[in-house]
Amino acid sequence: MNESRGVLPAPVEDLLDVALVAELTVISETGRPVTYPLIPLYDGQHIFMTSAVLFSRKLRHIKANPKVAVALTDPVGVPAEPFARATIQGDATVIEDDLHAGWETLLPLWRAKEPVIDSFVKKRFGIPLFFERSIIQIRPRRVLYWEGGATATAPQVFELAELG
Amino acid sequence: MSKLELTDAVARADGYSHAVVSFVGADGYPVSVAGEFSTDPGRASLDIGPLATEVLPAAGAEVCITFSHIRPQSGIGYDERRYVNLWGPAEPDGDHLRVTAVRATGWDEADIPFFEYAERSVPAAHEYMEEVGDQRPHLSKWWTFFLATRLPFLTATIVPVALGGAVAARDGAFAWGWWLLALVAACAVHLGLNIANDIFDDASGADSANVTPTPFSGGSRVIQYGLVSRRGMVRACVAFYAVAVAIGLFLAAERGWWLLAIGAVGVVLSLVYTAPPFRLVHRGLGEPVTALGFGPVMTLGAYYVCAQQWSWEAVYISLPVALLIALVLYVNQIPDRAGDEAVGKRTLIVRWPESRVITAYELMAGSAFVLIALGPPLGITPWWTLLGLLTAPMALKVVRGLRASYGQPYALMPVMQTNIGLHLFTGLLLVVGYLIDVLVG
């Protein structure tokens, strides 16, 4: 296993570094799991996602219950070599002190993964409410990891406190 | 995301590569695991597996089954975005999980384009921003001005005013200073009109009812997006009209009181276009009002400011430009059709079936080119104005585009762009024709 550069196991970090889509599962006020496809960003400590105020239901769910999971499952959306699957459970915080510009602090991470984001931001005047965004900051707590993406077998489980 | 019929949702799932099962684990955190699946749309049920028994939910636990597809396009973003969420009670069976759906939602951008999906969510966005606290969406002052005034549409004013100046130049009467003042006044009326149009379309509900706006249609949206308040728009509107009226009075006093009549007609046309009780655009009269205001009124006004006399030539050469600017309005109303109809804004596009709309376009565009072609042999306009015929292929391109994409607002965007270019380039070629005639004598 390569050396981890942050709080997550190295193979999971490798997945996150290339993932263009992850499935964020939150828990609704009624206790129902609800899953949303979003782009994940990772700075070595936290997983970040952003949500436009246009699509804010997930933010309300997180504020009511911060327990979430981020799954990396799709070989197309997660073009890692070798492919694997992982689910990262953690505690989410919604950061929205500045909906207009606060999320732009994530642009370096976003740009590294998806350079086209800069051209979208330049055209924010075309769809201004899409660029009023909350940050979802997730502190990882546990990881389920399936080598080769083989979910018929039991996952390796990493309790992150044990990772040090 | 929209609610889906259960059997439809399960049938849609068949097109995806894998399922993601999510449920709430014993410690209260969600657990998500991907797996292969098969469907039984008739029973609205799914079978997912094989899955490790360690990550299977308990019997009866509510699970969310997600099917997600996206195609990353390098340097562009994504396309083919779609997903389906199904919920139901877990029925574990060995290393398989069966779920009979009791609820389903989803989105497919092939059914609802992303921009429409976003537009439908605008009320929810405002509700959320109010919850969050004292935050309002905003853009830079420049972009707010650009959007609120719909600045690029000033080409509709620049072309006829330039044409009036060009006719005056042929008569040896062009006067830069007066012409520039006329241009500023005409632009001010136009910007005031654009803002007034937004104010009245907001008041009537037409813009809110329109969930498929494009950069060329559906208004500026600055009120709908909360970028500018209604009061702010009214102030800006009054300011632009005040500038126009002040310059107009000055020009009338200096260059001739007939200008007062021409300017008054322009201002009145711009107001009765959408202002109640007239609301001529609601009565299917938007095109003739636009043609008159952005054709003869502006061209003749610009000519009179320079030459201090009437000119039938200026009126004649403004007619093709008038027809083409009316066609800009006409085509740009096609994506607004559903929203306009919902609030009783009965434009020609709302009143007529697609075939008649396209036939009328062909007739009006054809008439514009016939007028250009007849001007020189009739001795009205210089031969060089035949340059204006060079844009005829653009009109054909618009017709082809209308036939191909009539019911698809976003696919119509290049068609609307070409149609705006048709007016702009035809008008500029007419101006160039006049200038060449002046230069070569």
Side-chain angles (χ1 to χ4, degrees):
Chain A
M1 188 181 289
N2 295 331
E3 195 172 333
S4 166
R5 62 184 168 83
V7 299
L8 293 171
V12 179
E13 292 182 331
D14 292 344
L15 293 179
L16 273 171
D17 284 344
V18 297
L20 293 168
V21 181
E23 290 87 28
L24 169 71
T25 299
V26 301
I27 301 170
S28 76
E29 289 85 341
T30 59
R32 168 182 292 156
V34 189
T35 302
Y36 300 89
L38 293 172
I39 182 169
L41 306 171
Y42 175 62
D43 71 349
Q45 298 296 314
H46 298 98
I47 296 169
F48 295 97
M49 293 171 152
T50 67
S51 172
V53 293
L54 288 162
F55 314 118
S56 54
R57 196 170 295 171
K58 65 180 88 59
L59 301 170
R60 289 197 181 96
H61 293 330
I62 291 170
K63 288 175 187 175
N65 184 343
K67 293 178 177 175
V68 303
V70 176
L72 304 163
T73 67
D74 181 3
V76 176
V78 188
E81 193 61 47
F83 180 64
R85 284 182 164 130
T87 293
I88 303 134
Q89 297 171 318
D91 299 297
T93 309
V94 177
I95 302 170
E96 48 196 10
D97 305 331
D98 180 359
L99 291 167
H100 187 73
W103 64 274
E104 290 178 3
T105 57
L106 297 175
L107 275 176
L109 290 173
W110 203 326
R111 189 178 297 123
K113 182 178 284 189
E114 197 183 37
V116 72
I117 186 63
D118 288 323
S119 67
F120 289 158
V121 173
K122 280 181 192 159
K123 294 174 193 158
R124 67 186 296 166
F125 63 88
I127 182 167
L129 289 171
F130 184 69
F131 291 98
E132 302 290 326
R133 305 183 77 85
S134 301
I135 298 173
I136 302 167
Q137 177 182 275
I138 301 161
R139 180 183 170 80
R141 175 188 166 94
R142 181 188 298 123
V143 175
L144 312 179
Y145 180 75
W146 289 271
E147 198 170 331
T151 52
T153 59
Q156 286 179 261
V157 179
F158 299 87
E159 297 291 345
L160 295 187
E162 295 170 11
L163 291 174
Chain B
M1 66 183 86
S2 309
K3 276 197 171 178
L4 297 175
E5 291 290 328
L6 299 179
T7 51
D8 176 40
V10 174
R12 283 172 185 250
D14 267 334
Y16 292 83
S17 62
H18 64 283
V20 179
V21 177
S22 299
F23 57 96
V24 181
D27 60 358
Y29 285 88
V31 177
S32 295
V33 56
E36 295 174 5
F37 69 97
S38 60
T39 63
D40 181 351
R43 293 181 55 227
S45 71
L46 302 126
D47 184 286
I48 303 114
L51 295 173
T53 52
E54 291 85 347
V55 289
L56 281 177
E62 182 165 25
V63 297
C64 174
I65 313 292
T66 301
F67 302 91
S68 174
H69 181 274
I70 194 166
R71 189 172 66 169
Q73 296 278 49
S74 182
I76 297 171
Y78 308 105
D79 66 1
E80 296 185 1
R81 288 168 292 187
R82 55 181 181 268
Y83 68 96
V84 174
N85 276 348
L86 296 127
W87 288 268
E91 299 171 53
D93 181 9
D95 60 359
H96 278 244
L97 172 69
R98 208 168 27 250
V99 175
T100 301
V102 295
R103 184 169 177 268
T105 61
W107 172 58
D108 184 339
E109 69 176 337
D111 298 333
I112 301 179
F114 173 76
F115 289 104
E116 180 180 345
Y117 184 36
E119 203 62 42
R120 289 180 184 276
S121 304
V122 167
H126 288 310
E127 198 178 303
Y128 186 75
M129 289 191 83
E130 275 182 27
E131 273 177 36
V132 168
D134 190 23
Q135 297 194 52
R136 289 178 61 85
H138 60 279
L139 292 173
S140 68
K141 283 181 182 168
W142 158 247
W143 278 118
T144 305
F145 176 79
F146 181 90
L147 289 180
T149 57
R150 285 180 275 168
L151 204 57
F153 281 99
L154 274 186
T155 57
T157 289
I158 292 167
V159 165
V161 173
L163 202 48
V167 180
R170 192 188 186 213
D171 291 348
F174 184 73
W176 268 110
W178 297 119
W179 180 82
L180 278 173
L181 268 181
L183 179 64
V184 171
C187 288
V189 171
H190 187 176
L191 298 182
L193 157 68
N194 284 350
I195 295 173
N197 196 10
D198 268 3
I199 293 167
F200 291 118
D201 276 352
D202 173 61
S204 72
D207 279 349
S208 298
N210 186 342
V211 291
T212 55
T214 70
F216 310 107
S217 61
S220 76
R221 319 297 289 179
V222 294
I223 299 175
Q224 284 69 40
Y225 295 159
L227 297 170
V228 183
S229 66
R230 290 178 181 87
R231 184 176 290 184
M233 289 290 272
V234 170
R235 278 200 296 263
C237 179
V238 169
F240 279 119
Y241 274 109
V243 168
V245 169
I247 296 175
L249 287 172
F250 175 70
L251 287 174
E254 293 293 323
R255 305 299 286 170
W257 289 105
W258 273 112
L259 281 172
L260 204 58
I262 296 172
V265 170
V267 169
V268 168
L269 284 176
S270 75
L271 288 173
V272 298
Y273 176 77
T274 46
F278 309 100
R279 303 207 295 181
L280 297 183
V281 69
H282 287 237
R283 304 171 199 276
L285 293 171
E287 284 78 4
V289 170
T290 301
L292 191 57
F294 289 92
V297 169
M298 285 201 179
T299 301
L300 189 58
Y303 178 88
Y304 196 99
V305 162
C306 293
Q308 296 178 286
Q309 62 181 14
W310 294 93
S311 164
W312 286 113
E313 180 182 352
V315 173
Y316 182 88
I317 200 58
S318 75
L319 295 179
V321 168
L323 286 169
L324 294 180
I325 195 61
L327 287 180
V328 169
L329 169 75
Y330 184 72
V331 170
N332 288 4
Q333 286 172 339
I334 294 174
D336 300 345
R337 190 172 69 249
D340 286 347
E341 189 169 19
V343 297
K345 187 176 174 181
R346 308 232 339 121
T347 62
L348 294 179
I349 304 299
V350 170
R351 291 162 191 263
W352 290 349
E354 175 183 337
S355 58
R356 194 183 302 172
V357 168
I358 296 174
T359 301
Y361 182 93
E362 291 168 327
L363 285 172
M364 287 174 68
S367 301
F369 288 108
V370 167
L371 284 165
I372 293 170
L374 287 179
L378 291 175
I380 301 171
T381 55
W383 285 97
W384 284 105
T385 56
L386 293 180
L387 282 171
L389 299 175
L390 290 174
T391 56
M394 293 176 78
L396 296 174
K397 192 175 171 188
V398 172
V399 171
R400 282 196 300 270
L402 290 177
R403 288 200 178 116
S405 312
Y406 192 85
Q408 306 162 59
Y410 301 109
L412 273 176
M413 281 167 57
V415 181
M416 291 187 279
Q417 195 165 11
T418 303
N419 194 42
I420 291 167
L422 173 64
H423 165 265
L424 174 63
F425 294 122
T426 307
L428 291 181
L429 284 169
L430 293 176
V431 171
V432 167
Y434 269 96
L435 296 182
I436 293 174
D437 185 73
V438 169
L439 290 173
V440 301

